[in-house]
Amino acid sequence: MPFVYNAWYVIALPDEVIDRPLARTVLGMPLVSFRQTDGAAAVLLDLCPHRFAALSDGSVAGGRLQCPYHGLQFDGGGRCVHNPHGNGARPSTLDVRSFPVVERDDLIWIWAGDAGDADPADIPDFRCRVDPDLGHVGGYFHLGCNDRLLLDNLMDLGHVQYVHSSKMQSDGFARHRRDVVRERRDIHAFITYPSAAPNALTRRMLPDAPELVDGWSDVRWFPVSATLNYVAYAPAGSAKESSRGASGTHILTPESEGATHYFFGSSRNFAIDDPAIDQVLREWQIQALTREDKRVVEQVEARSAYARAHEFTPAMLSCDEAAVRVSREIDRLERVERERASTSHVAPISTTADRSTGLRG
Amino acid sequence: MPFVYNAWYVIALPDEVIDRPLARTVLGMPLVSFRQTDGAAAVLLDLCPHRFAALSDGSVAGGRLQCPYHGLQFDGGGRCVHNPHGNGARPSTLDVRSFPVVERDDLIWIWAGDAGDADPADIPDFRCRVDPDLGHVGGYFHLGCNDRLLLDNLMDLGHVQYVHSSKMQSDGFARHRRDVVRERRDIHAFITYPSAAPNALTRRMLPDAPELVDGWSDVRWFPVSATLNYVAYAPAGSAKESSRGASGTHILTPESEGATHYFFGSSRNFAIDDPAIDQVLREWQIQALTREDKRVVEQVEARSAYARAHEFTPAMLSCDEAAVRVSREIDRLERVERERASTSHVAPISTTADRSTGLRG
Amino acid sequence: MPFVYNAWYVIALPDEVIDRPLARTVLGMPLVSFRQTDGAAAVLLDLCPHRFAALSDGSVAGGRLQCPYHGLQFDGGGRCVHNPHGNGARPSTLDVRSFPVVERDDLIWIWAGDAGDADPADIPDFRCRVDPDLGHVGGYFHLGCNDRLLLDNLMDLGHVQYVHSSKMQSDGFARHRRDVVRERRDIHAFITYPSAAPNALTRRMLPDAPELVDGWSDVRWFPVSATLNYVAYAPAGSAKESSRGASGTHILTPESEGATHYFFGSSRNFAIDDPAIDQVLREWQIQALTREDKRVVEQVEARSAYARAHEFTPAMLSCDEAAVRVSREIDRLERVERERASTSHVAPISTTADRSTGLRG
């Protein structure tokens, strides 16, 4: 499957990984997460080396994961530590692949590629999610859409005026300015809406907003599947420092080519303890992501087989610049990885068990 | 997909195409229908050239269809007439394919092939559907069956005695006479049932029917997917001119190889204003088409993979003559189209936008 | 499909084959079963040679099966005995393949391969199912699992301690002894649990069981898809002859590679007329087969595509010996059959009608 494996991906929110195993498929790999006795999360291939049973249907006791089929037990590093059959032998063929894990910024990240290449310094910075001076809401959705089509959507703010018209339509849309820049490995799309009436969502959250505001939006893509979307408003003509805004977490982890794990959140610098605003944002996240974006992307996906069969190429608009640059960069990373795999004569996904213990950020 | 594209197909009934776009897939092509300001129907590929969004999820205003994703607007000929992004440029790559359209006989026909070959004179004659001296009932069903298997069923009146036994079984079946003739491009199957008791459906609609009637049936196939089935009865031995009967519309438009749009109707020359007879016929259409024929054809389809894998060939009976001749003719038309495409080195479905405006019958 | 065709398979329980046709797919072949006038079961390919309609949607009268589409009638040997169309000709191309049938031991067996090779002496011995000195409960389930994965499960008693822990966990598990032997064409796995507390199911059925019992289990595999699992208990140290136990029918007939017909039963030598024990066993069969085994096997199946793509080989444990020997034997039988078919230049499934009449055991 056409994925970049050598990258950090979010597999779960910390409170999803508890005293029971959690099954989740990532990049086509069935994985199981559980907590060890020291509280560290562990992630293994969810496939017992014996008969390929689902370890996630088993149980966790004493930080060990027990297979539901024949009772083999595994530690967080994937090593088989108990075999109740025959003489109890535990050859290395009974070990299961484990993945490097880092829990940071209220997210559990795994390195999906060769464990030797995992560097926690490459994990995108989402510290806004745990900033005590901000107000947070967020969660997890499973969407039946391709992650690349969702990423096109996230990097392209031109769709907001139409897909999210009920809450986000702005009379400043025709006058907005856009700039796309690359910063080290990241790609940003900056948009400014000068001196426009606040949109419906802003009016809902900031009833005291003035008649005219300046708006900013900064969508930052971190390779390969995470974006942070900072949106802010200030009275028209005032300093950007006086703005009220929120950093939006939008992290897409491919389950398969046709389904995506979506980790989302909003971290705002206003009304941070106001549960009514929490509720407004929660409803908006459900509406925007699971109804509006989902619908349009699913329909694009439904037409992609026809478009491919007829060799259609999308006719790009000016609003697509950031999405196109991100897409080309991911294509490049995939190509690099494929070529590396073919020259090294090593499959990108090792079938032997990986001994590295989980990392912790 | 093995379809004849260079042909007229019914895409919708006129009252299905209103002020909102209608999505319908025809021959594997996702299409969208809408009304222009002059009331003329337009049919476009339901796939925005920008990001392949579903135009049918958008809106119609002022006879223009607006894409739900980024607000591009298209006229009935598929030309992009508004781009709200950047400098508003509208290169021809933003145009979408349109299809020749004719609205006639209470049906909306499209030409699914090369627009230059479309000739409204080739549209089958269904004027009976709008004859004010007849009584009409009809509608539209979506069936999860292959259209060719349904067409076999329509051309073969030998199945009526068995599949529709509750209403159509006749004691004249064993004495019926059959004749199959070709008339220009059409193929007819004539059947006569001399001097038999009226079947249950006839007795229901014509309570005053005599004890013995002569029956006629004339199933006419028009290339490639429409049939008109005239069924009539007269007192045994009387002139055919005194018959009471109905012309049955049975038009099959393939959605895909496994699903068919079925446009059906009945236009009768008796009790034309009697709503009780309308109701009898409506119930009969539902029973015969969506229960009895659907069930038998779905089961044939379920077995076709097994039959193909074992290279079974159907063992034809005498009642299959018309169906076999129609089937061979469609195979020939497909072959001609395939060969023409391969010699011209032009794909049968053009990916460039088609500028022709809709025709109107 | 990778099946052994030259073998006897159970297609139905006798009381499933009544005066209406029964449709059931076996080894990928759509089949129809019905009763002839002498009460003998007949099994035909469920596919009319005319248009491939489902004969199972037709009716049975006078021991003949009538096609629902055009009224052709077939006898139990597959011969077309009535054609109501045209001159009524019945060439041999209108005959349908029939299968050798034996009704024995409250099971209906068919020979799925070349009729000439069918020998009723090869049918596995399940006479325990009709022994008047035993108490019987049993039935039929359809499971969406591969039959080979279910057979691995049946031949491997190491899983019982874990998958069926609520009722079958034994403190004698760690001390059990196992022996696997081949006896003519059959393979047995013997297990003895010396001097252990009765498990929960035993305590439920035998409230007067002593504190310590010796347990036996003898799982016998008959090629290719039937197993008989005898389980018994006696007071610890007493003679095996004094045991109370049950012979378990576990017969798997592949429907396709991903679904299996499961015929099961229990024939016990205690409390044979006690409906309360019948009920305990019925509930246990539902729990063990349709919940516990089904769940674990479905999850193995869900992972098999991943395991195959990465060329994983299962890491066998000592408890797998019987399952591995059975699996190798089935692989060998499949290979023999494939090679025979390729050297004889005859397809393993004949497409011509088979004239042999049903056998009766």
Side-chain angles (χ1 to χ4, degrees):
Chain A
M1 274 184 277
F3 297 125
V4 176
Y5 287 90
N6 281 315
W8 290 98
Y9 289 95
V10 173
I11 188 170
L13 299 174
D15 59 9
E16 292 183 292
V17 179
I18 51 174
D19 59 348
R20 289 192 306 273
L22 172 73
R24 191 159 281 165
T25 294
V26 169
L27 311 184
M29 301 183 291
L31 303 184
V32 54
S33 304
F34 64 103
R35 292 273 176 202
Q36 300 174 81
T37 45
D38 62 355
V43 177
L44 308 181
L45 197 63
D46 186 16
L47 192 150
C48 180
H50 169 221
R51 279 280 189 203
F52 310 153
L55 298 176
S56 56
D57 263 5
S59 53
V60 177
R64 296 165 164 201
L65 180 59
Q66 176 171 308
C67 178
Y69 205 172
H70 296 85
L72 296 180
Q73 293 177 358
F74 304 90
D75 69 16
R79 185 178 297 276
C80 179
V81 291
H82 180 62
N83 170 9
H85 301 275
N87 62 6
R90 295 178 286 106
S92 65
T93 52
L94 285 184
D95 296 340
V96 65
R97 186 182 179 197
S98 72
F99 291 78
V101 176
V102 174
E103 186 164 342
R104 185 189 286 175
D105 301 337
D106 199 34
L107 296 166
I108 298 181
W109 298 86
I110 62 162
W111 179 261
D114 295 322
D117 295 336
D119 181 355
D122 292 334
I123 295 175
D125 178 1
F126 279 86
R127 76 184 70 174
C128 62
R129 293 172 54 84
V130 290
D131 185 333
D133 294 332
L134 302 178
H136 308 280
V137 294
Y140 163 81
F141 291 129
H142 180 268
L143 296 186
C145 309
N146 178 275
D147 64 297
R148 296 287 296 269
L149 297 178
L150 285 164
L151 193 56
D152 285 343
N153 175 290
L154 285 168
M155 294 309 299
D156 143 37
L157 295 177
H159 81 277
V160 170
Q161 182 80 355
Y162 297 95
V163 176
H164 308 307
S165 59
S166 73
K167 290 283 199 321
M168 300 282 273
Q169 203 165 54
S170 165
D171 60 9
F173 177 72
R175 302 188 308 279
H176 77 266
R177 293 189 302 272
R178 195 181 46 251
D179 199 13
V180 178
V181 299
R182 177 162 184 147
E183 190 179 292
R184 225 176 46 103
R185 307 197 313 152
D186 307 341
I187 292 171
H188 291 241
F190 293 103
I191 296 198
T192 55
Y193 291 79
S195 199
N199 64 32
L201 182 65
T202 305
R203 286 201 310 275
R204 185 81 196 281
M205 290 191 297
L206 304 172
D208 61 343
E211 279 185 34
L212 290 176
V213 295
D214 293 336
W216 296 274
S217 186
D218 171 8
V219 188
R220 178 189 290 250
W221 170 75
F222 306 97
V224 292
S225 72
T227 72
L228 186 61
N229 179 1
Y230 181 71
V231 180
Y233 301 92
S238 69
K240 206 168 176 177
E241 286 66 34
S242 63
S243 65
R244 288 185 285 186
S247 289
T249 298
H250 298 275
I251 301 179
L252 306 173
T253 300
E255 177 181 79
S256 64
E257 287 187 76
T260 300
H261 305 290
Y262 198 141
F263 303 92
F264 61 92
S266 169
S267 300
R268 67 186 187 274
N269 71 0
F270 60 93
I272 68 171
D273 293 321
D274 185 342
I277 299 298
D278 285 353
Q279 189 55 21
V280 168
L281 280 163
R282 276 196 202 96
E283 286 169 11
W284 167 240
Q285 287 165 340
I286 291 171
Q287 175 188 337
L289 307 184
T290 69
R291 297 203 193 111
E292 294 171 350
D293 285 329
K294 180 180 192 286
R295 169 73 189 177
V296 77
V297 170
E298 279 180 350
Q299 293 281 13
V300 169
E301 194 157 21
R303 280 150 183 76
S304 64
Y306 183 86
R308 266 199 305 273
H310 292 81
E311 300 180 4
F312 283 15
T313 49
M316 288 296 119
L317 304 179
S318 58
C319 58
D320 295 306
E321 185 186 348
V324 169
R325 287 177 65 172
V326 164
S327 189
R328 286 187 187 148
E329 178 63 10
I330 298 177
D331 289 345
R332 192 187 66 78
L333 291 169
E334 279 181 15
R335 212 164 41 238
V336 166
E337 195 167 300
R338 249 193 332 268
E339 285 164 7
R340 200 171 75 152
S342 66
T343 57
S344 71
H345 299 289
V346 169
I349 301 302
S350 168
T351 62
T352 59
D354 166 22
R355 294 299 171 289
S356 64
T357 53
L359 301 168
R360 199 171 163 84
Chain B
M1 273 185 277
F3 298 124
V4 176
Y5 287 91
N6 281 315
W8 291 98
Y9 288 94
V10 172
I11 188 170
L13 299 173
D15 59 9
E16 293 184 291
V17 180
I18 50 175
D19 60 348
R20 288 192 306 274
L22 172 74
R24 191 159 281 165
T25 293
V26 169
L27 311 184
M29 303 183 289
L31 303 183
V32 54
S33 304
F34 64 102
R35 292 272 176 202
Q36 301 174 81
T37 45
D38 62 355
V43 177
L44 308 181
L45 198 62
D46 186 17
L47 190 149
C48 180
H50 169 220
R51 280 278 189 203
F52 311 152
L55 298 175
S56 55
D57 262 6
S59 54
V60 177
R64 295 166 165 200
L65 179 59
Q66 176 171 308
C67 178
Y69 206 173
H70 295 85
L72 295 179
Q73 293 177 358
F74 304 90
D75 68 16
R79 186 178 297 275
C80 180
V81 291
H82 180 62
N83 170 9
H85 300 275
N87 63 6
R90 296 179 285 106
S92 65
T93 51
L94 286 185
D95 296 340
V96 65
R97 186 182 179 195
S98 72
F99 291 79
V101 176
V102 174
E103 187 165 340
R104 184 189 286 174
D105 300 336
D106 199 34
L107 296 165
I108 298 181
W109 297 86
I110 62 161
W111 178 261
D114 295 321
D117 295 335
D119 181 355
D122 292 334
I123 295 175
D125 178 0
F126 278 88
R127 76 184 68 173
C128 61
R129 295 172 53 84
V130 290
D131 185 333
D133 294 332
L134 302 179
H136 307 280
V137 294
Y140 162 81
F141 291 129
H142 180 269
L143 296 187
C145 310
N146 178 275
D147 64 297
R148 296 287 296 270
L149 296 178
L150 285 164
L151 193 56
D152 285 343
N153 175 290
L154 285 169
M155 294 310 298
D156 144 37
L157 295 177
H159 81 276
V160 169
Q161 182 80 355
Y162 297 94
V163 176
H164 308 307
S165 58
S166 74
K167 290 281 199 321
M168 300 282 272
Q169 202 166 55
S170 164
D171 60 8
F173 176 72
R175 301 188 310 277
H176 78 266
R177 293 189 303 271
R178 193 181 49 250
D179 199 14
V180 178
V181 300
R182 178 161 183 147
E183 191 180 292
R184 226 179 43 105
R185 307 196 314 151
D186 307 341
I187 292 172
H188 292 240
F190 294 101
I191 296 198
T192 56
Y193 291 81
S195 198
N199 65 32
L201 183 65
T202 305
R203 287 200 310 273
R204 185 84 196 279
M205 291 191 297
L206 306 170
D208 60 344
E211 278 185 35
L212 289 176
V213 295
D214 292 336
W216 297 274
S217 186
D218 171 9
V219 188
R220 178 188 290 250
W221 170 75
F222 306 98
V224 292
S225 72
T227 72
L228 186 61
N229 179 1
Y230 181 71
V231 180
Y233 300 94
S238 69
K240 206 169 176 176
E241 285 66 34
S242 64
S243 67
R244 289 184 285 185
S247 289
T249 298
H250 297 276
I251 300 178
L252 306 173
T253 300
E255 177 182 78
S256 64
E257 287 186 76
T260 300
H261 305 291
Y262 199 139
F263 302 92
F264 61 92
S266 170
S267 300
R268 68 187 186 273
N269 71 359
F270 60 93
I272 69 171
D273 293 320
D274 185 341
I277 298 298
D278 286 353
Q279 189 55 21
V280 167
L281 280 163
R282 275 196 202 96
E283 285 169 11
W284 167 240
Q285 286 165 339
I286 290 171
Q287 174 188 337
L289 308 184
T290 70
R291 296 202 195 112
E292 294 171 351
D293 285 329
K294 178 180 193 287
R295 168 74 189 177
V296 78
V297 170
E298 279 180 350
Q299 292 282 13
V300 169
E301 194 156 22
R303 280 150 183 77
S304 63
Y306 184 86
R308 267 197 305 272
H310 292 81
E311 300 181 3
F312 284 15
T313 49
M316 289 295 119
L317 303 179
S318 58
C319 57
D320 296 305
E321 184 185 350
V324 168
R325 287 177 66 171
V326 163
S327 190
R328 285 187 186 148
E329 179 63 10
I330 298 177
D331 288 344
R332 191 187 66 76
L333 292 169
E334 279 181 16
R335 211 163 42 238
V336 165
E337 195 168 298
R338 248 193 334 268
E339 286 164 6
R340 201 172 73 153
S342 66
T343 56
S344 70
H345 299 289
V346 170
I349 301 302
S350 168
T351 62
T352 59
D354 166 23
R355 295 298 174 288
S356 65
T357 54
L359 302 166
R360 199 171 164 82
Chain C
M1 274 184 277
F3 298 125
V4 176
Y5 287 90
N6 281 315
W8 290 98
Y9 289 94
V10 172
I11 188 169
L13 299 173
D15 60 9
E16 293 184 290
V17 179
I18 50 174
D19 60 348
R20 288 192 306 273
L22 172 73
R24 190 159 282 164
T25 293
V26 168
L27 310 185
M29 301 184 291
L31 303 183
V32 54
S33 304
F34 65 103
R35 293 274 176 200
Q36 300 174 81
T37 45
D38 62 355
V43 177
L44 308 181
L45 197 62
D46 186 17
L47 192 150
C48 180
H50 169 221
R51 279 280 189 203
F52 310 152
L55 297 175
S56 55
D57 263 6
S59 53
V60 177
R64 296 167 165 199
L65 179 59
Q66 177 172 309
C67 179
Y69 206 172
H70 295 86
L72 296 179
Q73 292 177 359
F74 304 90
D75 68 16
R79 185 178 298 275
C80 179
V81 291
H82 180 61
N83 169 9
H85 301 275
N87 62 6
R90 295 177 286 108
S92 66
T93 51
L94 286 185
D95 296 340
V96 65
R97 186 181 179 197
S98 72
F99 292 78
V101 176
V102 174
E103 186 166 340
R104 183 189 286 176
D105 300 335
D106 200 34
L107 295 166
I108 298 181
W109 298 85
I110 61 161
W111 178 262
D114 294 323
D117 295 335
D119 180 354
D122 291 334
I123 296 176
D125 178 0
F126 278 87
R127 76 184 68 174
C128 61
R129 295 171 53 84
V130 291
D131 185 333
D133 294 331
L134 302 179
H136 308 279
V137 294
Y140 163 81
F141 291 129
H142 180 268
L143 296 187
C145 309
N146 178 275
D147 64 297
R148 296 287 296 269
L149 296 179
L150 286 164
L151 193 55
D152 285 343
N153 175 289
L154 285 169
M155 293 310 298
D156 143 37
L157 295 177
H159 82 275
V160 169
Q161 183 80 354
Y162 297 95
V163 176
H164 309 307
S165 58
S166 73
K167 291 281 201 320
M168 301 282 273
Q169 203 165 54
S170 165
D171 60 9
F173 176 72
R175 302 188 308 279
H176 77 266
R177 293 189 302 272
R178 194 180 49 250
D179 198 14
V180 178
V181 299
R182 177 162 185 147
E183 190 178 292
R184 225 178 45 105
R185 307 196 313 152
D186 308 340
I187 291 172
H188 292 240
F190 294 102
I191 295 198
T192 55
Y193 291 79
S195 199
N199 65 31
L201 183 64
T202 305
R203 285 200 311 273
R204 185 82 195 280
M205 289 191 299
L206 305 171
D208 60 344
E211 279 184 34
L212 289 176
V213 295
D214 293 335
W216 298 273
S217 186
D218 171 9
V219 188
R220 177 189 291 249
W221 169 76
F222 307 97
V224 291
S225 72
T227 71
L228 185 61
N229 179 1
Y230 181 70
V231 180
Y233 300 93
S238 68
K240 207 168 174 177
E241 285 65 35
S242 65
S243 65
R244 288 184 286 184
S247 289
T249 298
H250 298 274
I251 300 178
L252 307 172
T253 300
E255 177 182 79
S256 64
E257 287 186 77
T260 299
H261 305 291
Y262 199 141
F263 303 93
F264 61 92
S266 169
S267 300
R268 67 187 187 275
N269 70 0
F270 61 93
I272 70 171
D273 293 320
D274 184 341
I277 299 298
D278 286 353
Q279 189 56 20
V280 167
L281 281 163
R282 277 196 200 96
E283 286 169 13
W284 167 239
Q285 287 166 339
I286 291 171
Q287 175 188 337
L289 308 184
T290 70
R291 297 203 194 111
E292 294 171 350
D293 285 329
K294 179 179 192 288
R295 169 73 188 177
V296 78
V297 170
E298 278 180 351
Q299 292 282 14
V300 170
E301 194 157 22
R303 280 148 183 76
S304 64
Y306 184 86
R308 267 198 305 271
H310 292 81
E311 301 181 1
F312 284 14
T313 48
M316 289 295 119
L317 303 180
S318 57
C319 58
D320 295 306
E321 185 186 348
V324 168
R325 287 177 66 172
V326 164
S327 191
R328 286 188 187 147
E329 179 63 11
I330 298 176
D331 289 343
R332 191 187 66 77
L333 292 169
E334 279 180 16
R335 212 164 41 237
V336 165
E337 194 167 300
R338 248 192 335 267
E339 285 164 7
R340 198 172 76 154
S342 65
T343 56
S344 71
H345 299 289
V346 170
I349 301 303
S350 168
T351 62
T352 58
D354 166 23
R355 293 301 172 287
S356 65
T357 53
L359 302 167
R360 199 169 164 83

